[in-house]
Amino acid sequence: MKNVMMITTDQQNLDAMGCVNPSYYTPNLDRFVDRSVRFTGVISTSAQCSPSRATWMTGKYPHQVGVNNIGHVLDPKEWGIAKDFNQAGYETVYLGKWHLGLSPADHEFQITDYGLDGFELGVANKNPRYHSHKDAMTTAKALNYLEDYDGCKPFFMALNWFMPHPNVPVDGPFERIDPYAEQFPLEVMPVPTSYYLDDLSTKPAFQQERSRTGESDLTEELVRRDAQHYRSMLKLMDENLGRIMEKLEAKGLLDSTAILFTTDHGDMQGAHKLRLKGVLPYKELYNVPVILHVPWANPARKVIPDLVSSSAVTGTLLDAVGIEVPAECEGGSLMPHLALAQPPSEQLVFFEHYKAYWGYHPFRGAQTPEWKYVYYYEEDIEEMYNLKQDPDELVNVAGRPEAEEARRSLRQVVDAWWEATGGLSKPPIQDTVSKWGEG
């Protein structure tokens, strides 16, 4: 009997783990990486919470299911991952952040809450508005479910934490977890290279404007403070992960459970003199970690750099336990990459964004190992980077002669993909019930 767990964080950068970047402290995540496969080339379909999470549930791009923005509801008529796990005889469980309107129960998850016996806040904030508090509750519910699990049928659990997403109402935006922050002295907190090197002069004008106003009116001190708070939140997340792993091991479930750990998108952390997230195409937002633990697999590589889409997460969860990936799940599966000794010869991934609190600058884009191309289709603006020569995405080469052949080719590919997948033909369902500001 093989179980499945999907463990997600919110707004965690690709390198935000101690085994990759020693400025973080995540010993439990590091141990999980040691016994798993780490994908380093996963591109999120959208760098915004709701659209990205709609992809997890459906294996489709956000525009295909009409979840282009926060406040759009995932239509229960869409195919969803719980449906196939239910048909395969699994008990389906969804705990924690949802952010897709209605309820996970409307998408056929059987269990969407659980008891809080033995609930302990620990160092989490006592105020229930804080994400550390919400994550403590979610962790307790998951632990209680696993403790009570009797093995009568396999389970699929989606365990979704809020951290390290910002939500502090005063002196934010990131929550400072005391006393963990003391482990990350401000004076040694890193400042991204692009904070110093990118004046945004080759970028769309709204990026330059945003870097001088609002939350992105940054100083080195603010960047270092964000880095400190962000790391303190991830240390607490890591403790929650450790408790889950200990429970799985104590119940004898670790070797019979496929586990996929990921996040919906990253965080700018001061890169390019920008903060948090927004209608931006940068790697800090779109490159996301995926760690896959399938005990019965025999992977050819421990670290897999293949360029793949987060839309493959959905099919991977089914494929890992031998459930056929349905046609509705267009993103396919990551499982075939475990058998490859090197990346496939053809690598092309699409991504998109629609709107954020930065304003309305919708784009569609594509990435290959060499190029990243972005088309702001309402403004007829292009953004393009030679990733081999400019991995930090400092110089927009759209319009330059040396990039013209690649630009023309990728524009055609992106436009064809957009048309083939329906563009914005799926009307969004507006959420008039949920309190999105609390997500």
Side-chain angles (χ1 to χ4, degrees):
M1 185 183 300
K2 297 173 181 177
N3 307 301
V4 183
M5 286 189 73
M6 177 183 181
I7 303 177
T8 72
T9 59
D10 192 320
Q11 211 151 317
Q12 181 176 351
N13 284 10
L14 176 66
D15 71 340
M17 56 189 79
C19 60
V20 177
N21 183 339
S23 71
Y24 292 90
Y25 184 74
T26 57
N28 295 302
L29 183 55
D30 297 349
R31 280 192 288 272
F32 180 58
V33 169
D34 284 344
R35 66 196 310 166
S36 308
V37 170
R38 182 166 63 91
F39 286 82
T40 61
V42 182
I43 307 299
S44 179
T45 59
S46 174
Q48 195 173 33
C49 301
S50 300
S52 178
R53 291 164 186 274
T55 290
W56 289 343
M57 292 299 103
T58 65
K60 289 184 168 65
Y61 284 85
H63 71 271
Q64 292 180 283
V65 294
V67 183
N68 306 309
N69 193 25
I70 292 177
H72 290 174
V73 174
L74 180 60
D75 190 345
K77 295 178 183 177
E78 293 285 347
W79 175 87
I81 189 170
K83 298 177 183 180
D84 278 34
F85 272 115
N86 289 337
Q87 291 174 6
Y90 278 69
E91 184 167 68
T92 50
V93 185
Y94 196 102
L95 300 173
K97 182 170 181 174
W98 172 243
H99 219 36
L100 290 170
L102 301 176
S103 160
D106 294 299
H107 294 265
E108 301 189 23
F109 280 92
Q110 300 167 21
I111 297 174
T112 59
D113 201 357
Y114 211 76
L116 279 170
D117 293 348
F119 170 58
E120 295 181 3
L121 269 174
V123 300
N125 199 292
K126 295 180 180 179
N127 186 334
R129 292 177 60 195
Y130 282 74
H131 287 167
S132 63
H133 186 112
K134 294 178 182 179
D135 284 358
M137 294 179 65
T138 297
T139 303
K141 292 174 183 179
L143 291 170
N144 284 332
Y145 174 85
L146 293 172
E147 177 60 32
D148 295 342
Y149 178 67
D150 59 11
C152 289
K153 57 164 58 175
F155 65 81
F156 165 53
M157 178 189 288
L159 170 59
N160 302 269
W161 288 314
F162 283 80
M163 293 191 300
H165 189 286
N167 78 317
V168 180
V170 178
D171 194 30
F174 293 99
E175 185 176 352
R176 174 187 163 107
I177 307 298
D178 291 319
Y180 293 172
E182 297 175 1
Q183 183 175 334
F184 309 101
L186 282 172
E187 61 272 16
V188 300
M189 288 295 95
V191 177
T193 301
S194 62
Y195 175 86
Y196 303 106
L197 297 182
D198 193 356
D199 63 4
L200 298 171
S201 60
T202 66
K203 314 301 177 68
F206 77 87
Q207 293 188 26
Q208 301 173 44
E209 179 183 355
R210 197 67 189 189
S211 72
R212 299 188 295 265
T213 60
E215 80 289 329
S216 285
D217 185 13
L218 290 172
T219 63
E220 284 189 24
E221 181 182 1
L222 283 174
V223 173
R224 294 184 193 279
R225 189 185 71 173
D226 282 358
Q228 179 194 58
H229 293 194
Y230 190 73
R231 282 158 177 75
S232 74
M233 295 173 78
L234 280 162
K235 180 178 178 181
L236 180 54
M237 179 282 297
D238 185 74
E239 289 192 357
N240 290 334
L241 178 65
R243 295 172 68 196
I244 296 295
M245 293 299 165
E246 287 175 4
K247 181 63 69 175
L248 286 169
E249 198 152 26
K251 292 283 291 187
L253 297 170
L254 197 55
D255 291 335
S256 60
T257 303
I259 305 171
L260 189 150
F261 178 99
T262 191
T263 197
D264 50 3
H265 55 79
D267 184 89
M268 291 304 294
Q269 288 287 296
H272 304 275
K273 296 185 176 68
L274 297 165
R275 201 179 199 185
L276 303 177
K277 57 189 176 186
V279 197
L280 301 164
Y282 293 116
K283 65 179 181 179
E284 286 80 9
L285 296 184
Y286 275 88
N287 293 30
V288 293
V290 168
I291 303 164
L292 182 60
H293 171 74
V294 183
W296 46 91
N298 185 25
R301 296 172 291 173
K302 286 285 289 179
V303 179
I304 298 179
D306 305 7
L307 198 60
V308 292
S309 170
S310 67
S311 61
V313 163
T314 321
T316 303
L317 296 166
L318 296 165
D319 197 12
V321 290
I323 301 174
E324 183 178 357
V325 181
E328 294 93 337
C329 184
E330 295 181 9
S333 168
L334 295 175
M335 290 299 293
H337 290 264
L338 299 186
L340 300 178
Q342 59 187 13
S345 57
E346 297 293 328
Q347 299 181 76
L348 174 69
V349 174
F350 299 102
F351 55 93
E352 63 185 89
H353 209 308
Y354 185 70
K355 183 181 179 182
Y357 52 85
W358 282 35
Y360 180 66
H361 304 284
F363 67 68
R364 52 183 179 259
Q367 184 169 333
T368 69
E370 184 174 4
W371 297 100
K372 176 182 286 187
Y373 173 79
V374 179
Y375 180 53
Y376 297 85
Y377 50 88
E378 290 287 343
E379 300 160 286
D380 195 26
I381 295 173
E382 293 176 304
E383 197 172 350
M384 188 170 179
Y385 301 99
N386 186 322
L387 300 177
K388 290 189 175 179
Q389 297 178 8
D390 180 22
D392 288 330
E393 302 167 345
L394 299 174
V395 180
N396 176 16
V397 296
R400 297 192 177 187
E402 67 271 19
E404 180 56 23
E405 183 179 352
R407 183 206 66 80
R408 190 185 309 113
S409 175
L410 285 171
R411 171 67 179 273
Q412 292 175 350
V413 168
V414 166
D415 287 349
W417 163 74
W418 190 252
E419 183 177 351
T421 54
L424 296 177
S425 61
K426 170 78 173 181
I429 303 171
Q430 295 292 334
D431 188 359
T432 59
V433 179
S434 300
K435 296 180 180 179
W436 288 96
E438 296 181 1

